[in-house]
Amino acid sequence: MFFRLRLILAILMAKAIIWLVRFAGRGKGSSLPGMVSLKICPGILAHLAGQVRRGVVMVTGTNGKTTTNNMIARAVREAGYRVVVNTEGANLITGVTTAFLKAASPVGRVDCDYALLEVDEASFPRISQQVCPRVVVVTNFFRDQLDRYGELDKTISLIEDALAGLPGTRLVLNADDPLVARLGAITGREVTFYGLGEHSGVSSHSTAAREGRFCPGCGRELEYAYYHYSQLGSYRCPGCGFSRPAAGVEGSHAFSSGGTTGCLLAYPGGSRELVIPVPGLYNLYNGLAAFTAALTLGLDPDRIIHALGGYTPATGRMERYRYRGRPVLLNLVKNPTGFNEGLHTLLTLPGPVDVLIAINDNAADGRDISWLWDVDFEMLGEQHHRVNQVFCTGQRGAEMAVRLKYAGFPLAKIHVQEKMHRAVRDVLAGNGSIAYLLTTYTALWPVERILRSCARRDGLENLPSVS
């Protein structure tokens, strides 16, 4: 009885906070309700998650969690199921709890077939213990916010140990990342691998910082037949024989066109063309992960393909806007690998491009911004003719400008603007063919609010072709 009273009080308090936050225009209240409810009733997440009828899917890894999770959610919804999902990427235990609270009745009932949860790597052990996932999707492992996560080995070990305590969980793993693929062997769980085969865009070498240079089993340097980006590719260890596993779901003949990315998709029992309405090879990996997870849940392949083809990006995940007839892209960047892929996408856009880079160093971004020196801004220096101008803003906008200077980017094209609203309006007023805005996490929301005040969300049909 005492638990029931605490449960109802926690839910009522959380729903009041959600309403107040929305009424005040401060967003959707993605973490505070969960924080308060967990203080009042510590067992609330396990209680609410225990009511999910068909199972919980957890998506974790360094990059692509929000996009992959929302793609899975779209496919599951279109198949006619009721879902709980933390759509906006609030992926700590407070945000996950809030997602359930929004779906709960005042007395703690949750009417839900699936819960689809993006989960922060460091929070994975605690959350997985409470929600007991049916499926866990792991996207990739890259170095990210060393001052918060520590070395990457520590993060991987946390997830390994947590998976060891989930005997009934099935894994969906990225075959092309040796750090992820190894989880299949060391956990002994049932696994479906997804990956991307060789295509015209692969490279014989990787210039990016590679977390998986050495074999995670024996420590010998891995040999690669080709790279997609960073450590993702076709690898084998000359020492212990560890190698890229065969992918049950594999893409081939990858392509980008008109703001879309796609490939030919082979899976058990058939093949289809997969096309997703967001540019970038890294987004194709998100689509492959989502397709594999949905297939693991037993969804019809044709329905999954259709759902992914209509996917709408979440805030800052290659989100499209239009300002006075000109396309605008908003993209979140938070570590060297993600930033590099964002820059690669920039250089495929029809130029010249007006660019904004907003760098903050709040706790959620990582206090240490030395990671900017691991980003390959030299590619912008080498192809600066494709960039009209770059506006640097945010708490560390000046340091960003210094990084561009040392990358060989022309000083005349670099502008430091301390006031973020001015920087956004300046990049929108540029005369390039497209405006491309790259922001760290806490800079994303103010930039997005400014953008919404003067531009409109755009549809895929208005995005220029990507070469």
Side-chain angles (χ1 to χ4, degrees), residues 198 202-205 223-227 233-236:
E198 189 171 5
V202 300
S203 174
S204 60
H205 64 281
E223 296 175 347
Y224 276 77
Y226 55 81
Y227 295 92
S234 179
Y235 52 86
R236 68 174 298 276

Side-chain angles (χ1 to χ4, degrees), residues 123-342:
S123 300
F124 182 87
R126 184 181 176 192
I127 296 174
S128 63
Q129 188 177 36
Q130 297 192 43
V131 306
C132 302
R134 171 180 167 183
V135 176
V136 170
V137 182
V138 186
T139 58
N140 46 60
F141 287 126
F142 302 119
R143 186 158 44 85
D144 186 25
Q145 296 185 27
L146 290 177
D147 55 341
R148 177 170 170 241
Y149 291 105
E151 289 298 332
L152 186 57
D153 289 347
K154 177 182 175 183
T155 301
I156 296 173
S157 294
L158 285 173
I159 293 177
E160 287 178 4
D161 293 343
L163 290 175
L166 301 172
T169 297
R170 183 167 181 171
L171 305 183
V172 172
L173 303 179
N174 186 344
D176 297 345
D177 186 339
L179 301 178
V180 173
R182 181 171 175 262
L183 292 174
I186 63 177
T187 63
R189 300 289 172 261
E190 187 177 1
V191 181
T192 301
F193 289 102
Y194 66 91
L196 185 62
E198 189 171 5
H199 58 92
S200 60
V202 300
S203 174
S204 60
H205 64 281
S206 175
T207 58
R210 284 194 287 130
E211 332 305 337
R213 180 180 175 185
F214 299 101
C215 176
C218 71
R220 289 279 296 274
E221 186 168 2
L222 292 172
E223 296 175 347
Y224 276 77
Y226 55 81
Y227 295 92
H228 295 297
Y229 67 89
S230 194
Q231 79 263 16
L232 274 62
S234 179
Y235 52 86
R236 68 174 298 276
C237 174
C240 66
F242 170 69
S243 63
R244 178 190 185 272
V249 175
E250 184 159 57
S252 63
H253 301 87
F255 60 87
S256 293
S257 176
T260 65
T261 306
C263 65
L264 297 180
L265 191 62
Y267 56 90
S271 62
R272 297 286 189 281
E273 183 180 64
L274 171 68
V275 180
I276 55 176
V278 280
L281 186 65
Y282 58 98
N283 277 315
L284 182 54
Y285 270 102
N286 298 333
L288 289 170
F291 179 90
T292 308
L295 199 66
T296 300
L297 296 177
L299 272 61
D300 177 71
D302 288 331
R303 283 192 170 185
I304 303 171
I305 293 287
H306 180 269
L308 298 183
Y311 168 73
T312 302
T315 301
R317 277 71 176 183
M318 295 305 291
E319 191 179 11
R320 295 181 295 270
Y321 289 84
R322 183 159 288 266
Y323 178 77
R324 295 183 178 176
R326 191 166 69 128
V328 180
L329 286 174
L330 175 61
N331 196 21
L332 171 69
V333 288
K334 61 191 184 77
N335 53 49
T337 299
F339 215 138
N340 282 337
E341 290 309 298

Side-chain angles (χ1 to χ4, degrees), residues 23-95:
F23 181 77
R26 297 292 183 181
K28 299 186 178 182
S30 57
S31 293
L32 183 58
M35 184 185 305
V36 172
S37 68
L38 286 166
K39 291 286 187 182
I40 299 171
C41 183
I44 192 170
L45 176 58
H47 176 80
L48 297 178
Q51 300 178 56
V52 179
R53 288 185 288 272
R54 300 180 68 91
V56 174
V57 178
M58 291 176 64
V59 180
T60 194
T62 307
N63 291 341
K65 296 186 291 291
T66 301
T67 299
T68 299
N69 195 54
N70 288 349
M71 284 179 169
I72 299 170
R74 183 179 180 93
V76 172
R77 278 195 180 111
E78 288 202 8
Y81 295 108
R82 296 178 65 88
V83 303
V84 166
V85 54
N86 52 338
T87 311
E88 292 298 324
N91 56 24
L92 304 181
I93 192 167
T94 52

Side-chain angles (χ1 to χ4, degrees), residues 290-416:
F291 179 90
T292 308
L295 199 66
T296 300
L297 296 177
L299 272 61
D300 177 71
D302 288 331
R303 283 192 170 185
I304 303 171
I305 293 287
H306 180 269
L308 298 183
Y311 168 73
T312 302
T315 301
R317 277 71 176 183
M318 295 305 291
E319 191 179 11
R320 295 181 295 270
Y321 289 84
R322 183 159 288 266
Y323 178 77
R324 295 183 178 176
R326 191 166 69 128
V328 180
L329 286 174
L330 175 61
N331 196 21
L332 171 69
V333 288
K334 61 191 184 77
N335 53 49
T337 299
F339 215 138
N340 282 337
E341 290 309 298
L343 295 179
H344 281 299
T345 298
L346 186 162
L347 294 176
T348 66
L349 297 170
V353 181
D354 291 306
V355 179
L356 177 141
I357 303 178
I359 305 294
N360 279 355
D361 62 351
N362 294 312
D365 307 292
R367 301 288 189 186
D368 181 359
I369 64 163
S370 63
W371 62 273
L372 291 174
W373 292 87
D374 291 329
V375 180
D376 188 13
F377 289 108
E378 282 69 20
M379 72 174 82
L380 287 190
E382 293 167 0
Q383 300 193 51
H384 64 83
H385 60 281
R386 299 187 64 86
V387 180
N388 196 38
Q389 54 190 338
V390 178
F391 295 92
C392 301
T393 189
Q395 295 161 345
R396 306 304 286 269
E399 286 88 340
M400 182 66 248
V402 171
R403 177 67 185 94
L404 288 173
K405 172 188 174 182
Y406 278 93
F409 196 80
L411 288 177
K413 293 185 176 184
I414 302 172
H415 311 279
V416 178

